[in-house]
Amino acid sequence: MPIEHEPFYSLLGIAMRAGVLTFGQDGVLKAIGSGAAGFVLLDSGASDNTKKKISDSCRYHGVEVYETIADRLGFAVGKPGRMCAFVAKGTLGDRLLELAKK
């Protein structure tokens, strides 16, 4: 079920400006494999191929993945069309994770 908690999306813009988010399938897969990803965000409008690659990698490496409302991920950070992102570990990432779990 996609994240619908509005404060989560408000905090995403701040996280992007703080350098806590990284976008793009290749960057996300690399971060998952290296252990840098605290958790992963996947837009519900992403292609089935992207969803499978990201989900399989997260499952293999034990990284949590959360789905956002369609097109909401890119809109929240001012970069439409973004389909996946990883959130780095740390204080801001931990707060985003708390909000994602609500």
Side-chain angles (χ1 to χ4, degrees):
M1 180 162 179
I3 300 167
E4 295 181 4
H5 195 60
E6 198 57 41
F8 173 81
Y9 293 106
S10 298
L11 193 57
L12 276 180
I14 295 169
M16 190 200 72
R17 289 188 295 278
V20 176
L21 293 178
T22 298
F23 298 94
Q25 182 176 324
D26 293 336
V28 170
L29 290 171
K30 188 175 182 179
I32 293 167
S34 70
F39 68 100
V40 172
L41 297 172
L42 188 58
D43 192 284
S44 61
S47 71
D48 291 339
N49 188 39
T50 298
K51 287 180 180 180
K52 181 173 176 16
K53 282 182 181 179
I54 299 294
S55 297
D56 287 352
S57 184
C58 285
R59 194 174 308 110
Y60 181 79
H61 292 284
V63 175
E64 293 179 90
V65 61
Y66 292 91
E67 196 168 298
T68 64
I69 298 171
D71 299 322
R72 196 69 167 98
L73 177 60
F75 178 76
V77 298
K79 295 182 180 234
R82 305 299 186 201
M83 293 293 128
C84 59
F86 84 84
V87 181
K89 297 175 182 177
T91 306
L92 191 53
D94 292 344
R95 179 66 182 138
L96 278 167
L97 184 57
E98 287 175 25
L99 290 172
K101 289 182 178 181
K102 286 188 177 184

